[in-house]
Amino acid sequence: MPSAPLPAQPLGVAGAGVAQPAAYRMRPFEAVRAVKSLGIFVGFGLAVSGLYATTGIGFPCPLRAVTGWECPLCGGTRLGSSLLHGHIRQAFDYNPVVFIGLIVMTILGGIWIVEALGGPKVRPPRRIADRLVRVHPTVWAAIAVAAGLAYTLVRNLV
């Protein structure tokens, strides 16, 4: 049985008939969805930190158990417990990167809540936004892993 002819391929496409992956398109930002996700994150953090603050029970770090090195998130539970007790400086000392990340997430959460309630949209300048959305999520994940590895080395060797 003869097969149907392949559609014409535009110039520059490798191999006639070879399907090329579609360009990645980021889903439009929705403030309500972002606030819901942030709420789940905050709820989980409060639950874990509250459990540790009241009982001393926390999640053991597998990397620390095996190697003795602190991972990029080590100290996060103690940080949350210190924040619940109002000890800001102590919280920062447990993990400065996570502490700064929480400050950034608090600011973003406030902006997203205002937007979700009908307030103005706050977005990066168009030129920057256009460059950021062209980066595939796997690239962002690779950057996060590389940064985590670098932070792990710095915090354990310095």
Side-chain angles (χ1 to χ4, degrees):
M1 187 172 212
S3 63
L6 297 173
Q9 297 292 320
L11 292 176
V13 174
V18 176
Q20 298 296 319
Y24 172 73
R25 299 203 74 150
M26 192 167 87
R27 204 159 91 176
F29 178 77
E30 298 171 21
V32 173
R33 191 183 73 213
V35 170
K36 287 179 184 177
S37 298
L38 187 59
I40 292 168
F41 175 78
V42 169
F44 179 76
L46 285 173
V48 170
S49 297
L51 178 68
Y52 182 77
T54 57
T55 66
I57 297 171
F59 291 117
C61 176
L63 180 70
R64 192 170 183 185
V66 172
T67 66
W69 280 27
E70 292 187 337
C71 78
L73 298 177
C74 273
T77 305
R78 292 173 286 158
L79 179 149
S81 174
S82 294
L83 286 176
L84 289 175
H85 286 103
H87 304 294
I88 307 297
R89 177 62 194 185
Q90 186 180 27
F92 180 82
D93 289 340
Y94 281 128
N95 193 324
V97 172
V98 171
F99 186 85
I100 293 168
L102 289 175
I103 292 171
V104 170
M105 292 304 297
T106 301
I107 293 167
L108 288 174
I111 292 170
W112 297 340
I113 289 169
V114 168
E115 183 179 334
L117 293 173
K121 293 181 179 182
V122 178
R123 301 287 187 271
R126 173 60 88 193
R127 204 171 104 212
I128 294 171
D130 288 344
R131 287 183 177 172
L132 293 175
V133 298
R134 287 191 298 229
V135 180
H136 197 278
T138 54
V139 174
W140 289 120
I143 291 169
V145 168
L149 288 172
Y151 178 58
T152 299
L153 289 173
V154 168
R155 89 185 292 199
N156 288 288
L157 295 178
V158 174

